[in-house]
Amino acid sequence: MRKRGRIKYLLVISICLSVFIYGFILININKAELVKKKSKFIINLKLNPIDFRIETNSYVFYVNDKIIYNMKEKCIDTFNGIFLK
């Protein structure tokens, strides 16, 4: 019975956390450009081509189509290196 109770609490906490993160990201994406330029924390999202950026004062984290292409190429190269020797 105790495990079931823990799972319920973890499920509720994870749902609340995901709703909070979703709302935070949605608000930051829909900010006006003038407000984004003055902000210390910026989130940008473009779907065509894929470009997701999180910018702070010192760091930039990004995911775009080049990263996905490079990961695919590295996986293919590794597969060919292992199995085609």
Side-chain angles (χ1 to χ4, degrees):
M1 209 54 184
R2 284 189 167 181
K3 269 195 168 182
R4 214 175 209 181
R6 287 182 188 167
I7 292 173
K8 288 179 185 177
Y9 284 121
L10 288 175
L11 181 65
V12 169
I13 290 171
S14 64
I15 290 172
C16 291
L17 187 62
S18 63
V19 167
F20 174 76
I21 291 172
Y22 175 74
F24 182 75
I25 290 173
L26 191 65
I27 288 171
N28 276 305
I29 288 174
N30 293 328
K31 280 184 186 176
E33 286 298 321
L34 182 63
V35 175
K36 280 186 180 181
K37 289 180 182 176
K38 294 181 180 180
S39 180
K40 293 181 181 180
F41 184 81
I42 301 169
I43 297 176
N44 291 324
L45 175 67
K46 293 180 188 175
L47 294 177
N48 193 7
I50 297 172
D51 187 24
F52 178 72
R53 292 178 183 262
I54 298 175
E55 301 177 22
T56 61
N57 286 341
S58 305
Y59 300 101
V60 176
F61 170 77
Y62 64 93
V63 175
N64 57 18
D65 56 343
K66 293 177 186 174
I67 289 178
I68 295 169
Y69 177 76
N70 289 339
M71 285 178 24
K72 186 174 95 176
E73 289 296 318
K74 285 188 180 190
C75 289
I76 291 171
D77 290 343
T78 304
F79 179 80
N80 290 338
I82 292 172
F83 293 109
L84 297 179
K85 281 187 174 180

